[in-house]
Every structure is written in structure tokens, then in C-alpha cells.
Amino acid sequence: MQFLKQIRRLPKIIYLFIALAIALLISGLFLINLESDVIEISSIEFIGQATLPKGLSFQKTPVGGLSGITYDAKTDLYYAISDDRGQKAPARFYTFKIDLNQGRLQDNSIKTVGVTTLLNNQNQPFASGTTDTEGIAVTQDETVYIASEGDVEQSIPPFIQEFDLATGKAQRNLPIPPKFLPNKKRQRGIRNNLAFESLTITPNNKYLFTATENALIQDGVIAAPNIGTPCRILQYNLANGQPQQEFLYQTEPVTSFFNPTGRFASGLPDLLALDNHNHFLSIERSFTGLSFTVFLFQVSLTAADNIQNIDSLLTSNTQNMQAAQKKLLLDLRTLDVALDNIEGLTLGTKLAHREQLLILVSDNNFNSIQRTQFLAFKLKFASPLMILFHRIFPQN
């Protein structure tokens, strides 16, 4: 009784704070319930690598140039697009089976089980030199969307097109907004070989996202040592096939400590939609002369501004523009692994409660000194209560 009397003597303001805290908790739990598929990664664990044999061929085609990868949960198969421009074999994607041995990825974990030639609108293989296929994403309707960078130097436009998964026949072609298309004077649009590398579809199959690997000409400079580049993320509504929004994604500046070759390349080669609420993983990959730098980020577009109506970032006031929010998940240089040209990533099979496989793949550029490398990670997802806590108390 004495305890209850003491409680009654508390100032009314304390009761107000308690009631407010309870209301926030209830509303937060309600929000999490409404968005039960929100994904936030709480930890990542490296669980092995595999390398395809050098000179590997499958059905008379050289297996290589793997620039994007996607996972089909219905069949437990992985599809990887080759960026061969038709010089070694027609434009194509490969089908892989990946089995973890004792919970780890090893060289014998990867098995090539299929190759599918892409067919154009005339049901013919694409002519050599007319494609630069870099991104791939499977749909719930057993089709795949594929992104091609085209060839600016040859006036070959980029495309994002849907293909039948079984036959490779072309289906729907998504329109490319004019600001992305190069003009004759090369004063605007995508840069050669720095265009649509990435491709991903949200789990509900409603939206497709792609991004430029580097800035559009009218948006800024390409990446250079110690200088990042402003990329554009482009969102499509798959119900009507129309572009819907665009977002600014700023890559990290990368230092080239020792570069006797003088070569440097850096950019955004792939995105992966984690959920239906604008949360992604991204790869930023840089070649610094002798080695590769690869960063893996958690990305959120929830607070990012829609820049669809901004034709040029260089001629716009970008000081108050909200770009995609990024949080470093892993610097792959910390792994005890010699990294190759990592360009693609996908979520794979579910491993346990709130755990899922993540697969990364490298593009060997059909170069004898490079490798087709697969890296495997175990992702652990945060619980709804932990996600709520992070929303109420955001981390810097």
C-alpha cells in the first residue's frame, strides 16, 4: 500500500511520459506488423569461396564474363548473365546449381546445368557487337529481365528487356528515359561501358530497379582516385512498364595507393532489393591498378528525394538534395581472400530462421589472369523488435 501511495505522489508529467512511451511502442509494433517483410541485416559471416576452372566451356560456349546473378527460389537455381558481346558465343545466360557442403562454399559446390541463348524480337540470336548484357533479375512469372549497356561509341542504345526463362525469347522492352540516352554531340546521357550494370526486382514483383555505374554526362564526373561519382537509380513500375522514380546514389571515393599501371576504374555494378520497402544491398567495386577494392553496403531510399524531373545535377542546386542512405556492411578487403572483379550479387536459399545465403560473383573479362569467383555469406536478419528499436533510436 505504501508503494502505491508513493506512485500516486509522482508528478502528472511522469504519467504523461509513460503513456506516450506506451503509445509509441504500440504504434511501432503496429507499423512493424504492417511491414512484416522489412529487412535489416544484423550480421554477415563469410562461408567460403569457389572458383570455376579456367577455360571452362558448357555446350560449346565459354563460361565467363559473369556480370550479374539472380536466384529462383521455385527451382533452387541461379541464373548468371555473361557480358560477352557475341564475340565468343551469342548473348546468353547460364544456369547454376549451388550446394553448400557442410555449410560452406567450395570449388565442387558450383555446377553448371544450363545455358540459354537470348533471342531478339525476330526470334534470332543478337548479332555480334549489338549487346553488352550486364544485369539479370528473375520474376515470379518465370521470365528474366536483362539490362544491356549498349555501345555509345557505336551508337547502340542500352536496353532493359524481359525474356522467357525457358526459351530466351524476347518479350517486353522497358522504355529508357531520354536523359539516359546519349545525344549525337555526346553532351548528355550514359557514358560508354558505365551504364546499366545493375538490375533487381522487389520480392512482391512490383518494381524493378537499375542504376548507372557512373554519373550521366550532365550529372557529374566519372570516378577517379579519391573522387566518387553521382549515379542515378532508376525505378520502374512493372504493372505498366513505365519509369516511375529516380534517386541519387553517391559512390565512395577510393584511394589508389600504388598504381604502376595507371589504370583506375570504380563504380556501382549491382543492386539487390532486400524487401518491398526500398531497402537494398549494393556493391561498389574499384580496380586500383594491381588489385580490387569491394565494398558491400546496406542502402535505404526511404528518405531519398525523387530526382526524376531533374535533367542535370550539374545545373541544379543539390546542396539540400537527399541521396540514398548507405551503411557499410563489409569491406571485402578484410577477408582472407584474393578478390577478383566482383560485379553481381543475389540472395540465395534460406539457411535458418532469419538467416539467408548471399552469393557474389566476379566477371573474369575472359582474361587468363582473372577468375570466375563465387563468394558466399550467411546473412542474419534483425528481429521486428530490433528494427523498431533502430527506428526509435536511429544509429549515426
Side-chain angles (χ1 to χ4, degrees):
M1 292 293 295
Q2 187 67 25
F3 176 71
L4 291 176
K5 289 180 180 179
Q6 291 177 349
I7 290 179
R8 293 193 186 101
R9 295 195 188 103
L10 292 174
K12 292 182 179 180
I13 188 67
I14 294 181
Y15 291 111
L16 180 61
F17 278 123
I18 293 173
L20 181 60
I22 293 173
L24 284 173
L25 180 61
I26 293 174
S27 61
L29 288 173
F30 179 70
L31 179 62
I32 290 295
N33 186 56
L34 286 177
E35 299 182 355
S36 58
D37 62 338
V38 168
I39 295 295
E40 182 179 300
I41 297 168
S42 59
S43 67
I44 180 170
E45 177 186 350
F46 178 58
I47 56 172
Q49 69 165 324
T51 302
L52 297 186
K54 288 186 179 292
L56 176 67
S57 64
F58 184 82
Q59 295 184 4
K60 299 181 180 180
T61 68
V63 181
L66 305 185
S67 296
I69 189 169
T70 187
Y71 175 66
D72 188 349
K74 291 181 180 178
T75 58
D76 192 29
L77 294 172
Y78 296 80
Y79 307 105
I81 187 70
S82 173
D83 68 358
D84 179 7
R85 300 189 181 197
Q87 297 168 336
K88 301 179 182 299
R92 62 202 180 277
F93 65 87
Y94 290 93
T95 305
F96 294 98
K97 185 75 175 176
I98 300 179
D99 292 315
L100 298 183
N101 301 315
Q102 299 179 342
R104 294 193 63 80
L105 187 70
Q106 303 173 30
D107 283 344
N108 61 0
S109 301
I110 312 288
K111 184 179 180 181
T112 312
V113 296
V115 59
T116 305
T117 299
L118 300 179
L119 304 178
N120 60 23
N121 293 325
Q122 289 75 45
N123 284 338
Q124 298 295 319
F126 285 87
S128 178
T130 60
T131 65
D132 183 12
T133 47
E134 299 278 359
I136 185 170
V138 68
T139 75
Q140 295 174 357
D141 300 322
E142 296 304 290
T143 64
V144 287
Y145 279 92
I146 289 174
S148 170
E149 292 190 300
D151 190 325
V152 174
E153 301 300 327
Q154 301 297 322
S155 299
I156 297 172
F159 69 69
I160 301 171
Q161 193 160 1
E162 187 178 18
F163 296 85
D164 184 84
L165 185 60
T167 66
K169 292 182 179 180
Q171 296 186 359
R172 182 165 63 165
N173 208 359
L174 301 183
I176 305 297
K179 69 169 72 71
F180 292 87
L181 299 176
N183 60 7
K184 293 181 179 180
K185 295 183 179 180
R186 309 286 168 81
Q187 296 174 336
R188 58 181 290 111
I190 57 173
R191 290 177 160 99
N192 198 47
N193 208 33
L194 294 173
F196 300 132
E197 284 260 353
S198 58
L199 206 62
T200 187
I201 296 174
T202 54
N204 61 12
N205 220 60
K206 290 185 177 180
Y207 302 104
L208 177 145
F209 291 82
T210 187
T212 58
E213 187 180 4
N214 267 228
L216 299 179
I217 293 174
Q218 70 269 28
D219 281 346
V221 299
I222 62 173
N226 301 309
I227 299 174
T229 185
C231 306
R232 284 196 190 229
I233 296 176
L234 175 57
Q235 176 188 349
Y236 284 88
N237 185 330
L238 289 181
N240 57 22
Q242 295 300 308
Q244 183 168 293
Q245 296 188 91
E246 295 172 22
F247 306 95
L248 172 62
Y249 181 105
Q250 182 69 43
T251 69
E252 297 301 301
V254 175
T255 301
S256 183
F257 293 104
F258 178 66
N259 189 353
T261 68
R263 293 182 58 199
F264 182 89
S266 185
L268 172 65
D270 212 358
L271 282 173
L272 174 64
L274 291 172
D275 57 31
N276 302 315
H277 307 284
N278 285 334
H279 299 120
F280 302 82
L281 288 180
S282 71
I283 296 173
E284 293 186 25
R285 180 265 294 114
S286 304
F287 177 69
T288 58
L290 292 177
S291 62
F292 291 95
T293 296
V294 183
F295 297 131
L296 186 63
F297 289 96
Q298 292 191 70
V299 179
S300 174
L301 299 180
T302 55
D305 292 327
N306 179 10
I307 61 171
Q308 185 179 33
N309 294 326
I310 298 176
D311 188 68
S312 169
L313 296 178
L314 287 175
T315 59
S316 302
N317 182 5
T318 60
Q319 290 184 346
N320 297 321
M321 186 178 296
Q322 185 66 49
Q325 294 177 312
K326 297 161 47 182
K327 176 183 176 182
L328 182 64
L329 184 63
L330 181 66
D331 180 347
L332 272 68
R333 293 175 299 180
T334 61
L335 304 177
D336 188 21
V337 171
L339 297 174
D340 211 287
N341 184 31
I342 300 295
E343 289 198 357
L345 79 167
T346 187
L347 290 179
T349 184
K350 293 184 178 179
L351 301 175
H353 181 62
R354 299 194 181 283
E355 292 183 352
Q356 196 158 359
L357 180 65
L358 174 70
I359 295 289
L360 277 62
V361 69
S362 74
D363 173 6
N364 69 349
N365 293 308
F366 296 99
N367 189 325
S368 61
I369 64 173
Q370 290 186 252
R371 301 163 296 152
T372 299
Q373 178 184 48
F374 291 79
L375 302 177
F377 301 85
K378 180 169 65 176
L379 299 180
K380 187 171 183 179
F381 301 142
S383 67
L385 281 176
M386 186 58 67
I387 294 174
L388 172 61
F389 178 82
H390 290 161
R391 287 189 178 185
I392 297 175
F393 305 103
Q395 296 174 316
N396 294 328

